[in-house]
Amino acid sequence: MTDGTHLTTVETVKEAGSWLFTVRDAYGELDEVILVPCEDGVEGWINRCPHEAQRLDVGRGAAMRNGEIVCPRHGSTFDSCAGDCDNGEAAGTRLVPVETTVDDGDVYLSDRSVTVANEGGIADADTSPADDVDDDLPSSTSHIGF
C-alpha cells in the first residue's frame, strides 16, 4: 500500500486527458491541481500558467496536444511530463509540480505540503477551513494594517 491520499487511476487520467482536483495548503488556502498523462504514468501540476496565472483547465479538461499542455490564453505549451515551456509568452517558465505516486495503476497524492480538498475545481470545494486548521490564528501573518 502506498502512503498518501488516493486520487484516481492512471486509466481515468489517460481516458479523460487530464483530471482536476483541489488541494488545501497548511494555511487553509485552496489551489487547483491537474493530473496529466505521461509515458511513465501521470504528473501533477498546479493548474496555473506561470505567465499570467491563467487556469490551464477551466473546468472542461486541460487542452493537450502532442504530449503538451496548452495554455488557453496565449497558446504557450508545457511539456506534460517535465512542466517546461520553450515557446510563446510563457517561454522559460515551468509549471509548479505537485508530488503524486502511482502504485498498481492507482494515483495517490504524496505531496505532504497539501491535502486533498475535493475532486474538481475550487468552485466545487467546501470553502470552510479544514478541521485541522486552527481557527484562532489570524487570517494574515502580517502585523501591518491599512
Side-chain angles (χ1 to χ4, degrees):
M1 172 99 181
T2 300
D3 286 340
T5 304
H6 184 265
L7 297 171
T8 187
T9 65
V10 172
E11 188 62 31
T12 298
V13 175
K14 288 183 177 184
E15 285 177 7
S18 68
W19 196 80
L20 179 67
F21 67 104
T22 300
V23 295
R24 189 178 300 275
D25 68 16
Y27 302 102
E29 297 298 319
L30 297 173
D31 216 342
E32 293 179 348
V33 178
I34 54 173
L35 296 178
V36 294
C38 287
E39 54 273 349
D40 293 337
V42 300
E43 289 293 330
W45 305 105
I46 294 293
N47 185 31
R48 185 172 48 248
C49 175
H51 170 239
E52 283 189 358
Q54 168 69 39
R55 291 172 65 212
L56 299 167
D57 177 344
V58 295
R60 298 181 298 271
M64 302 285 295
R65 181 178 59 224
N66 300 325
E68 296 182 314
I69 305 164
V70 181
C71 176
R73 174 162 260 163
H74 293 110
S76 294
T77 56
F78 298 85
D79 182 287
S80 63
C81 299
D84 300 320
C85 179
D86 63 3
N87 64 70
E89 299 288 333
T93 65
R94 183 173 191 264
L95 298 176
V96 176
V98 175
E99 289 181 46
T100 59
T101 304
V102 175
D103 184 15
D104 198 29
D106 288 313
V107 183
Y108 297 86
L109 175 66
S110 52
D111 194 320
R112 298 203 184 272
S113 68
V114 294
T115 58
V116 176
N118 59 277
E119 181 177 338
I122 290 175
D124 302 319
D126 172 11
T127 57
S128 62
D131 291 335
D132 60 346
V133 175
D134 188 346
D135 290 333
D136 294 331
L137 293 175
S139 60
S140 170
T141 58
S142 173
H143 66 283
I144 300 172
F146 294 97

